[in-house]
Amino acid sequence: MKRVTERRTYSYLGPAGTFTEAALDQVAEARGQQWRPVHNVGEALADVLDGRSFAAMIAIENSIEGGVSTTQDALATLPGLRIIGEYLVPVNFVLVAPPGTTLDQVQVIAAHPVAYAQCHGWLGEHLPQHSHVPAASNVASAIGVLDGTLPAQAAIAAPGIVNHYDVDVLASGIGDNAQAVTRFVLVTRTTAPPAPTGADKTSLIVELPHDHPGSLLEMLEQFSTRGINLSLIESRPIGDELGRYRFVIDADGHIEHERMADAMLGIRRFSPRVVFLGSYPRADRQIVHYPERYADDVFVEARDWLRGILSGEPAE
């Protein structure tokens, strides 16, 4: 008898046609599985924690807007989550409209405020007299134009919209920054990190012990003295009182590397609260290089040397 394999469920910010769906489409293991559209990051992570989904794809950083605060705060406060991969999606926008619409008929444009702000240059040049109607999302803008719930003739949306809705593309590549990219992470329940690949990243959230001169420097030295580069460091208010912050950190390397493990121990001794978010392959697959004095075998040799002293072994 043929064995039936249960399909895994993956949550993502929906509906279909979003940039988040494009990120999930990059996950080979997710193809052919059940994809569950949700309304926000909180719902996606709740799906994971409550067992409705195996993993959730969420946006964590944008090359123009910076860190996604709702994602960072959720990961800082919800225990039991682990990042197992990251994915990059170019942020390209298209102007779409119901079939038969021409550009000269467009007077009002529906768009999510963030998307609208990233298309000012193109709109100013090609539709200088237009007005803007805000929409809840990039997909909602197109749906609103199609079903008439938004008083607009065209909408700004992600390119994937054409795969799900009957629209005409009036213009492509209308974003002001052709290099704009959004970084997404795949989050599951706490599990062992994927094996090191040599092109890895470690993410964590660290709180400072107390506010005093040099405290941020002390935290950063835990990495710099071990030859670890930080590709991201961003502060977020803790929220319990004014002037208290946590730091979202991305460090080059894997926790199974001796230098990273040593840094994590230093951070743990230093900080009253450390949230380890995960060690996982970098989206760009760039190999992490570091000076030879920070190689794993150097840390191992130093640790063995100290153990030899403590055990009374004769010096060589």
Side-chain angles (χ1 to χ4, degrees):
M1 188 171 79
K2 187 177 180 180
R3 182 179 178 182
V4 177
T5 303
E6 183 178 353
R7 299 171 72 196
R8 282 179 168 176
T9 299
Y10 291 79
S11 294
Y12 73 100
L13 182 64
T18 61
F19 289 115
T20 313
E21 184 192 47
L24 187 54
D25 191 51
Q26 296 181 31
V27 183
E29 313 88 73
R31 294 170 190 157
Q33 304 299 308
Q34 185 71 39
W35 293 12
R36 172 180 160 85
V38 298
H39 298 91
N40 53 60
V41 169
E43 185 180 357
L45 296 179
D47 278 354
V48 173
L49 291 172
D50 294 341
R52 287 184 294 271
S53 294
F54 166 73
M57 183 67 76
I58 55 176
I60 195 169
E61 184 185 4
N62 182 274
S63 60
I64 296 176
E65 303 292 329
V68 179
S69 58
T70 53
T71 296
Q72 294 175 338
D73 293 345
L75 292 175
T77 55
L78 293 174
L81 296 170
R82 186 67 45 87
I83 298 173
I84 56 174
E86 70 167 0
Y87 306 86
L88 304 179
V89 176
V91 181
N92 300 315
F93 294 103
V94 294
L95 186 68
V96 298
T101 306
T102 59
L103 191 61
D104 58 8
Q105 295 174 325
V106 177
Q107 297 178 334
V108 182
I109 294 175
H112 186 275
V114 173
Y116 182 71
Q118 295 186 31
C119 299
H120 278 169
W122 188 95
L123 294 171
E125 179 180 352
H126 296 88
L127 294 169
Q129 303 301 318
H130 80 279
S131 56
H132 170 225
V133 174
S137 70
N138 294 322
V139 176
S141 64
I143 295 175
V145 170
L146 288 173
D147 65 15
T149 56
L150 291 176
Q153 296 79 42
I156 295 174
I161 195 74
V162 300
N163 298 323
H164 303 281
Y165 297 93
D166 184 19
V167 293
D168 283 351
V169 177
L170 304 183
S172 301
I174 65 173
D176 295 338
N177 189 334
Q179 306 303 317
V181 173
T182 295
R183 175 177 161 236
F184 294 83
V185 290
L186 189 64
V187 180
T188 189
R189 278 168 286 185
T190 299
T191 184
T197 66
D200 303 293
K201 178 181 293 185
T202 294
S203 296
L204 62 154
I205 296 176
V206 182
E207 293 182 11
L208 297 183
H210 48 81
D211 188 18
H212 69 271
S215 58
L216 177 57
L217 177 61
E218 289 178 43
M219 181 186 75
L220 297 177
E221 284 178 339
Q222 303 300 321
F223 299 99
S224 65
T225 57
R226 295 167 175 89
I228 297 173
N229 178 61
L230 302 184
S231 55
L232 180 144
I233 176 168
E234 191 164 329
S235 64
R236 290 291 304 152
I238 294 175
D240 54 356
E241 61 181 270
L242 194 64
R244 288 246 300 145
Y245 292 88
R246 61 173 63 101
F247 290 85
V248 183
I249 295 172
D250 286 344
D252 290 347
H254 195 283
I255 194 170
E256 289 190 20
H257 295 158
E258 292 288 338
R259 60 189 178 281
M260 183 67 74
D262 204 45
M264 292 292 291
L265 291 175
I267 285 290
R268 177 64 178 172
R269 292 191 296 267
F270 164 82
S271 171
R273 184 167 185 266
V274 181
V275 180
F276 173 72
L277 297 178
S279 288
Y280 48 89
R282 295 166 56 102
D284 57 16
R285 299 300 189 265
Q286 289 188 7
I287 301 298
V288 176
H289 297 285
Y290 48 90
E292 187 60 32
R293 65 182 181 277
Y294 297 117
D296 271 14
D297 56 0
V298 173
F299 281 86
V300 172
E301 190 279 331
R303 187 173 62 244
D304 291 344
W305 171 79
L306 180 60
R307 286 174 178 169
I309 292 175
L310 295 175
S311 65
E313 294 179 3
E316 295 182 359

